[in-house]
Amino acid sequence: MHFPVSGVDVSPLVPPLVAFVVSFFASMGGISGAFLLLPFQVSVLGYTHPSVSATNQFYNVVAIPSGVYRYIKEKRMVWPLTIMVVLGTLPGVFLGAIIRIVWLPDPKLFKLFVGCVLLYIGGKLIQSLLSKPSLTSEQQSGTPAAQANPTQASKDMTATKPTQPTAATQGHIEHGFVDVLEFSRTRIAYYFKGALYECSTTGIFVLSLIVGVIGGAYGIGGGAIIAPFLLSWFRLPVHTISGATLMGTFITSVTGVLFYSAIAPFFPQYSVAPDWTLGLLFGIGGVAGMYLGARCQKFVSATLIKWMLGIVIVSTAAKYIWEYFL
């Protein structure tokens, strides 16, 4: 099948199949998988026009809602975290789109940019796994850090021993629900599986703003970049950040697609608007993969999820950077 906008010739069965596999595993880590679909489109399908970023974001628009639905239904959506991620990334998306068209239209240079972004994402994931493994294990299993290691817990403001839970909170602990305790200008705090997690509201906003620029240029919405920071810097459990990062990616991707489409007439020398048909096919596979991935996540070890994503990301990054210098 020929796709005239992107110039790609591929069987219509390939995009949804690839998207299903990628999104199934990626959604467990709170990311849509778009960061891996873009290298597939660039390297395998030969789609190197600036519009590949917009097409990738359109995939997010179609695929993400099914995963978000599962996290909301299972009461694992941290809404304060979601709000700050969206507020931070939205302004950056616009600037990122301009950077992609004006400064990164060359396919070879864009590949180097993609490789550097992926290397950073994968590096942060692997770093979070190699540093303080005992604490990470306790957090991801839902064991209060103060109970497992009182000395460490007194120093760590991320996971602390909660006060005596109420009957309702105790029920939420048993079912793995999220209970938000505070959402202010300075602090976000919530319970998850008997542990209290907290982070800086301002810190989340500033991080999201920077990520929005990078994600807007790459065409991934930013969730793949934010997730490793939430895991390694803020030490939030992967089973609670996934819904927030996916929702943030969805909102910013909608904005990104609209913006790319709006500015396309001002850059007639490039293909800027998304390839709607190709993006839809990727999205169809992503819908099924996201839903099943979100549903299966709570049964899969958080450590295994992060190692899997980290290895794939770093390998892809190394390939792109190496190819730039050949």
Side-chain angles (χ1 to χ4, degrees), residues 200-283:
S200 165
T201 306
T202 304
I204 296 295
F205 176 81
V206 173
L207 167 64
S208 301
L209 183 63
I210 297 172
V211 164
V213 176
I214 301 173
Y218 192 158
I220 57 176
I225 306 174
I226 293 177
F229 280 100
L230 296 180
L231 295 172
S232 59
W233 279 15
F234 295 98
R235 296 182 187 171
L236 301 178
V238 69
H239 294 97
T240 65
I241 69 163
S242 299
T245 54
L246 280 178
M247 177 66 88
T249 300
F250 172 73
I251 298 297
T252 53
S253 293
V254 170
T255 305
V257 168
L258 293 176
F259 189 62
Y260 270 106
S261 300
I263 64 177
F266 299 98
F267 299 91
Q269 70 274 32
Y270 300 123
S271 172
V272 175
D275 187 322
W276 301 102
T277 306
L278 184 61
L280 180 62
L281 288 176
F282 276 115

Side-chain angles (χ1 to χ4, degrees), residues 1-9 49 271 275 277:
M1 180 176 178
H2 179 70
F3 297 86
V5 176
S6 59
V8 169
D9 290 289
H49 303 302
S271 172
D275 187 322
T277 306

Side-chain angles (χ1 to χ4, degrees), residues 18-306:
V18 171
F20 173 81
V21 175
V22 169
S23 62
F24 174 77
F25 291 103
S27 63
M28 293 184 184
I31 49 186
S32 68
F35 72 102
L36 289 175
L37 286 181
L38 189 136
F40 174 79
Q41 294 178 75
V42 171
S43 298
V44 179
L45 301 183
Y47 186 7
T48 58
H49 303 302
S51 60
V52 70
S53 296
T55 301
N56 220 38
Q57 289 185 331
F58 181 55
Y59 153 79
N60 282 336
V61 173
V62 177
I64 287 178
S66 63
V68 168
Y69 167 74
R70 281 305 311 182
Y71 287 117
I72 294 175
K73 185 176 181 179
E74 295 178 7
K75 298 183 180 179
R76 287 191 287 133
M77 180 69 76
V78 185
W79 288 108
L81 188 62
T82 304
I83 292 171
M84 296 315 301
V85 167
V86 171
L87 290 178
T89 52
L90 274 178
V93 168
F94 300 111
L95 180 58
I98 297 298
I99 291 174
R100 170 67 173 103
I101 298 170
V102 177
W103 285 289
L104 295 172
D106 179 66
K108 188 174 182 180
L109 187 60
F110 182 61
K111 278 189 175 184
L112 177 63
F113 170 74
V114 170
C116 291
V117 172
L118 289 177
L119 185 62
Y120 196 74
I121 295 172
K124 292 301 295 183
L125 267 176
I126 293 177
Q127 180 187 37
S128 71
L129 289 164
L130 296 178
S131 62
K132 299 182 180 180
S134 59
L135 178 59
T136 302
S137 175
E138 291 152 11
Q139 288 179 317
Q140 301 304 338
S141 65
T143 303
Q147 294 177 358
N149 189 338
T151 303
Q152 178 61 39
S154 64
K155 300 177 182 178
D156 187 0
M157 292 300 292
T158 305
T160 58
K161 185 177 181 179
T163 56
Q164 186 65 31
T166 63
T169 301
Q170 185 62 46
H172 282 197
I173 291 174
E174 295 173 359
H175 292 88
F177 297 160
V178 168
D179 277 295
V180 176
L181 297 184
E182 181 181 343
F183 179 27
S184 65
R185 288 184 294 179
T186 59
R187 179 175 179 258
I188 295 173
Y190 62 90
Y191 279 116
F192 179 67
K193 290 188 175 181
L196 175 63
Y197 296 91
E198 58 183 8
C199 57
S200 165
T201 306
T202 304
I204 296 295
F205 176 81
V206 173
L207 167 64
S208 301
L209 183 63
I210 297 172
V211 164
V213 176
I214 301 173
Y218 192 158
I220 57 176
I225 306 174
I226 293 177
F229 280 100
L230 296 180
L231 295 172
S232 59
W233 279 15
F234 295 98
R235 296 182 187 171
L236 301 178
V238 69
H239 294 97
T240 65
I241 69 163
S242 299
T245 54
L246 280 178
M247 177 66 88
T249 300
F250 172 73
I251 298 297
T252 53
S253 293
V254 170
T255 305
V257 168
L258 293 176
F259 189 62
Y260 270 106
S261 300
I263 64 177
F266 299 98
F267 299 91
Q269 70 274 32
Y270 300 123
S271 172
V272 175
D275 187 322
W276 301 102
T277 306
L278 184 61
L280 180 62
L281 288 176
F282 276 115
I284 290 172
V287 167
M290 288 265 187
Y291 183 85
L292 293 177
R295 185 164 188 172
C296 296
Q297 188 215 44
K298 59 185 177 182
F299 304 110
V300 181
S301 164
T303 301
L304 177 62
I305 294 172
K306 290 196 286 184

